[in-house]
């Protein structure tokens, strides 16, 4: 186990306080959460944000067969709420190469929000090249493959209450 449940809970509530302190109590936030990895983080984070809030969800997936090509991403934006003139907070599970967040930040900016900030639960420090600007980070971790608390391997392990390292056996199973 690399991040136990209690530590996740503490850090997420601290992130909530930080984010709430910089948000407008009148107009609140529009969250744009990236499916599916952010669902558990999102559910815990929003309950620490006592603000007027809308929640939008966006699927971002790699084209099959193009997984090694960071540019080949498909973003499903059809069901996003109106972002124009809103204060938007993008929520993602993990910043790795940065391909996903670069794409999502671009999609959000095109919709002319008043402001855009990004929160990630985990960041593999120094991996994103070019760097991606994130405003709030839960934990910096080493360049290892982790699962749990929403993060999957082959669709499994999202329901683990903690963040764990994926074992070599599980990777090749
Ligand atoms: P990117 O390379 O675009 O920054 O990260 C893309 C996505 O890859 C993340 O949103 C996440 O879904 C997935 N990813 C990156 N690193 C890990 C990891 O260590 N574990 C899991 N489960 N997913 C990861
Ligand atoms: Mg993801």
């Amino acid at each position: 186990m690399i991040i136990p449940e209690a530590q996740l809970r503490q850090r997420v509530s601290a992130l909530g306080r930080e984010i709430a302190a910089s948000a407008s109590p009148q107009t609140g936030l529009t969250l744009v959460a990236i499916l599916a990895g952010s669902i558990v983080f999102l559910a815990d984070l929003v309950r620490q944000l006592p603000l007027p809030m809308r929640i939008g969800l966006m699927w971002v997936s790699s084209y099959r067969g193009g997984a090694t090509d960071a540019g080949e991403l498909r973003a499903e934006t059809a069901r996003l709420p109106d972002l124009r003139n809103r204060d938007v907070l993008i929520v993602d599970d993990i910043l790795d190469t940065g391909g996903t967040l670069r794409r999502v930040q671009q999609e959000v900016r095109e919709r002319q929000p008043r402001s855009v900030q990004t929160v990630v639960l985990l960041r593999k420090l120094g991996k994103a090249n070019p760097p991606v600007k994130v405003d709030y980070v839960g934990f910096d971790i080493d360049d290892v493959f982790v699962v749990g608390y929403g993060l999957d391997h082959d669709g499994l392990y999202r329901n683990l209450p903690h963040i764990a390292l994926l074992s070599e056996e599980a990777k090749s199973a």
Side-chain angles (χ1 to χ4, degrees), residues 34-37 92-93 100:
I34 315 310
L35 294 169
D92 202 5
D93 52 1
T100 304

Side-chain angles (χ1 to χ4, degrees), residues 34 37 73 92-101 124 141 144-148 151-153:
I34 315 310
L73 285 177
D92 202 5
D93 52 1
I94 186 165
L95 172 62
D96 185 14
T97 66
T100 304
L101 276 175
K124 295 182 184 173
I141 63 167
V144 291
F145 195 85
V146 291
V147 294
L151 290 132
D152 76 307
H153 175 254

Side-chain angles (χ1 to χ4, degrees), residues 25-82:
Q26 281 78 40
T27 53
L29 290 173
T30 300
L31 270 52
V32 172
I34 315 310
L35 294 169
S38 73
I39 54 171
V40 179
F41 178 42
L42 175 72
D44 282 347
L45 182 67
V46 294
R47 286 176 289 173
Q48 303 296 327
L49 293 172
L51 299 164
M53 177 182 298
R54 294 178 172 83
I55 302 175
L57 302 169
M58 193 192 289
W59 280 105
V60 180
S61 43
S62 308
Y63 283 108
R64 288 278 161 223
T68 52
D69 185 342
E72 295 289 318
L73 285 177
R74 199 159 63 101
E76 285 181 31
T77 58
R79 286 191 212 84
L80 279 184
D82 190 10

